[in-house]
Amino acid sequence: NAGVTQTPKFQVLKTGQSMTLQCAQDMNHEYMSWYRQDPGMGLRLIHYSVGAGITDQGEVPNGYNVSRSTTEDFPLRLLSAAPSQTSVYFCASSLRVPSSGNTIYFGEGSWLTVV
Amino acid sequence: AQSVAQPEDQVNVAEGNPLTVKCTYSVSGNPYLFWYVQYPNRGLQFLLKYITGDNLVKGSYGFEAEFNKSQTSFHLKKPSALVSDSALYFCAVPRSNDYKLSFGAGTTVTVRA
């Protein structure tokens, strides 16, 4: 059981470049989400999805796009990378929405540096 | 709005001593409460959660947490700490209005040999 798989683990981008962080889960979870973790800011929700074909914005969505064409995959796209997007990104999933009490499982993280 | 607070930025204990990481909550109704651990350069790993029932919840790696409704607390405990328990610990509560987990600021635990 792979759980939540994120790629790449590390990435360096130049300002203005675009890229996609991949996230996949093999637990048939309806809910998937992306967080970023920054020193002094904690974990902040970027985007989330409550099922295939349904996405919505979190706290800090600007500069990011997501799609959910399948239950398993939830990629995060950086449209035009900026130094402010230097961060650690975590994908997370759970069977149902967090308020259901289902456990949310996190991926191992993607360390992104924008220069 | 549902939120949690971790009053201590750091906790330092000697190996073999009891470990407590504090968390207080502000939740309307019956809370769901979670503890996660993050080792350096790793993702968040689920330790345990309180949904309902017994106030003492047992989780992974020998950790347990006690739900105390009168004190609105959910402290994480381990009877005998190991050096390998050194990590960043987060308390969290799910929010119903914006579909996310609300995390505490985190507590860095250092266990010295």
Side-chain angles (χ1 to χ4, degrees):
Chain A
N1 187 349
V4 180
T5 303
Q6 287 182 237
T7 56
K9 178 85 171 181
F10 300 100
Q11 183 72 49
V12 178
L13 283 179
K14 294 182 178 179
T15 297
Q17 285 185 320
S18 62
M19 77 157 299
T20 299
L21 299 178
Q22 302 291 344
C23 176
Q25 52 86 14
D26 61 358
M27 299 173 280
N28 202 32
H29 284 174
E30 288 186 354
Y31 174 85
M32 296 186 74
S33 57
W34 279 100
Y35 288 82
R36 59 178 289 174
Q37 185 179 30
D38 302 289
M41 303 295 291
L43 287 120
R44 293 178 292 172
L45 182 66
I46 305 172
H47 285 284
Y48 66 92
S49 168
V50 297
I54 306 169
T55 64
D56 209 341
Q57 297 180 351
E59 301 171 87
V60 287
N62 292 338
Y64 307 95
N65 273 356
V66 291
S67 59
R68 184 93 182 269
S69 56
T70 67
T71 299
E72 294 79 17
D73 300 300
F74 191 48
L76 178 71
R77 297 182 185 85
L78 280 70
L79 308 174
S80 177
S84 61
Q85 294 179 302
T86 294
S87 186
V88 184
Y89 292 85
F90 290 102
C91 181
S93 76
S94 64
L95 188 61
R96 302 283 186 269
V97 295
S99 58
S100 67
N102 290 137
T103 300
I104 297 181
Y105 296 94
F106 286 80
E108 285 294 305
S110 296
W111 273 253
L112 177 66
T113 301
V114 182
V115 297
Chain B
Q2 289 94 332
S3 65
V4 291
Q6 294 178 243
E8 299 167 320
D9 292 335
Q10 291 197 352
V11 170
N12 299 305
V13 299
E15 189 172 35
N17 282 1
L19 170 63
T20 298
V21 186
K22 295 180 180 178
C23 173
T24 59
Y25 66 88
S26 175
V27 174
S28 56
N30 296 319
Y32 298 144
L33 296 163
F34 294 78
W35 275 103
Y36 287 86
V37 60
Q38 185 179 24
Y39 298 101
N41 299 318
R42 302 292 301 276
L44 279 74
Q45 296 182 28
F46 169 73
L47 281 177
L48 52 81
K49 68 180 178 182
Y50 174 80
I51 300 296
T52 187
D54 289 341
N55 290 338
L56 186 64
V57 180
K58 295 189 181 296
S60 306
Y61 311 122
F63 283 94
E64 59 189 26
E66 185 172 8
F67 174 72
N68 189 317
K69 190 170 185 177
S70 63
Q71 297 186 4
T72 61
S73 66
F74 189 55
H75 300 332
L76 181 70
K77 300 180 181 181
K78 187 170 184 178
S80 179
L82 301 172
V83 172
S84 58
D85 293 328
S86 298
L88 181 59
Y89 290 79
F90 291 99
C91 182
V93 63
R95 288 161 57 105
S96 56
N97 59 337
D98 52 11
Y99 296 95
K100 72 168 192 176
L101 272 182
S102 179
F103 289 89
T107 299
T108 299
V109 170
T110 302
V111 182
R112 61 186 184 276

